[in-house]
Amino acid sequence: ATILCRELLNSSPESRPLQAAPPPSSMGSALRKSTAAEATPNARSDDATTTKRSNPIVYGDESIMRQKGHGTCASGVQGGLRFGCDAKTADRICCYNRHFAEYSGSFLKTRWLAQVKDAGEVTYYDSVSGQPLFRAPRGRSFATFLRESKSHGWPSFRDDEVLWDHVRILPNGEAVSLAGTHLGHNLPDGKGNRYCINLVSIAGRPLDGGDDTDVDGAAGARTSS
């Protein structure tokens, strides 16, 4: 079985209205498709939204992504997203989307690299809820983290870098937050699980307003929903 990781190739994505991810037939040549092995949780159920198995993944079910007040989220993305991420693109990817992604390599066109390359372990927060989702690099050098992310086209995290209190993997491999934010997909490679994540989905700020890895220091307020 395979899942599709689809990349938006429209030259001006902000001009698109907020909407659920359209089917492939409606996108025509605007889509480039790639395939990867689907996660296959052979797991027991622990509660309504979470299942676990012996590997590090914590699984969730579709109820996490039910429709809420703002697409799959209760409200829109925060204002003043980190790394110079665009709020309109982030809102569409995070809250009104299940299958599409930011442009491949677009994270390298933000301030991300300049701000994190010498920062050590950096915590990445949900762009909607402000909850911590990933902390990287862990157990590897920044050079390795960057090399893998460049190779795959999106920030690519490993098991040790996922903060499972707020992250779940759905049975089809979709990575989501418990706030209903679409993050990306688990697309395993020869080294194991690889969480291919949109930077716009993890560019939020911590709820307490303070963080020693808040690498750009700007303050922002939540946008209205």
Side-chain angles (χ1 to χ4, degrees):
T2 59
I3 62 174
L4 298 179
C5 180
R6 304 184 181 94
E7 176 190 346
L8 288 176
L9 296 180
N10 189 292
S11 59
S12 56
E14 293 80 4
S15 66
R16 287 173 169 266
L18 295 177
Q19 59 183 357
S25 59
S26 70
M27 294 295 289
S29 60
L31 294 178
R32 180 171 63 81
K33 301 177 182 178
S34 62
T35 60
E38 183 181 55
T40 54
N42 181 15
R44 61 184 177 82
S45 176
D46 290 333
D47 57 45
T49 62
T50 303
T51 56
K52 299 181 180 180
R53 63 177 184 178
S54 58
N55 75 18
I57 292 179
V58 181
Y59 288 96
D61 65 29
E62 278 291 326
S63 66
I64 298 170
M65 301 300 283
R66 68 187 182 278
Q67 290 295 300
K68 306 179 184 72
H70 191 80
T72 59
C73 305
S75 60
V77 300
Q78 299 173 344
L81 294 175
R82 297 165 85 189
F83 317 120
C85 288
D86 179 75
K88 289 182 180 179
T89 300
D91 198 65
R92 193 159 51 90
I93 294 293
C94 291
C95 304
Y96 291 88
N97 164 64
R98 301 293 303 278
H99 305 290
F100 296 97
E102 62 193 6
Y103 291 91
S104 175
S106 65
F107 73 104
L108 296 171
K109 298 178 181 179
T110 69
R111 297 194 295 266
W112 173 80
L113 181 57
Q115 292 173 346
V116 305
K117 63 181 180 180
D118 299 316
E121 289 189 359
V122 172
T123 303
Y124 296 85
Y125 297 89
D126 191 325
S127 292
V128 175
S129 72
Q131 295 288 357
L133 304 179
F134 300 91
R135 188 170 178 85
R138 276 186 170 178
R140 56 178 176 165
S141 67
F142 180 78
T144 299
F145 174 41
L146 178 60
R147 182 171 62 251
E148 290 188 359
S149 298
K150 283 183 174 181
S151 174
H152 297 300
W154 290 267
S156 295
F157 299 91
R158 297 293 179 175
D159 289 328
D160 290 343
E161 297 166 332
V162 185
L163 304 180
W164 291 108
D165 284 351
H166 303 287
V167 176
R168 296 293 184 268
I169 305 299
L170 302 191
N172 69 349
E174 184 183 3
V176 303
S177 79
L178 287 178
T181 304
H182 171 81
L183 304 176
H185 287 85
N186 176 29
L187 304 176
D189 61 11
K191 296 179 180 179
N193 293 316
R194 177 179 63 83
Y195 306 95
C196 177
I197 304 299
N198 295 289
L199 184 64
V200 296
S201 299
I202 55 171
R205 298 181 179 281
L207 294 176
D208 61 11
D211 173 34
D212 61 0
T213 58
D214 189 2
V215 290
D216 58 359
R222 180 177 300 280
T223 58
S224 63
S225 59

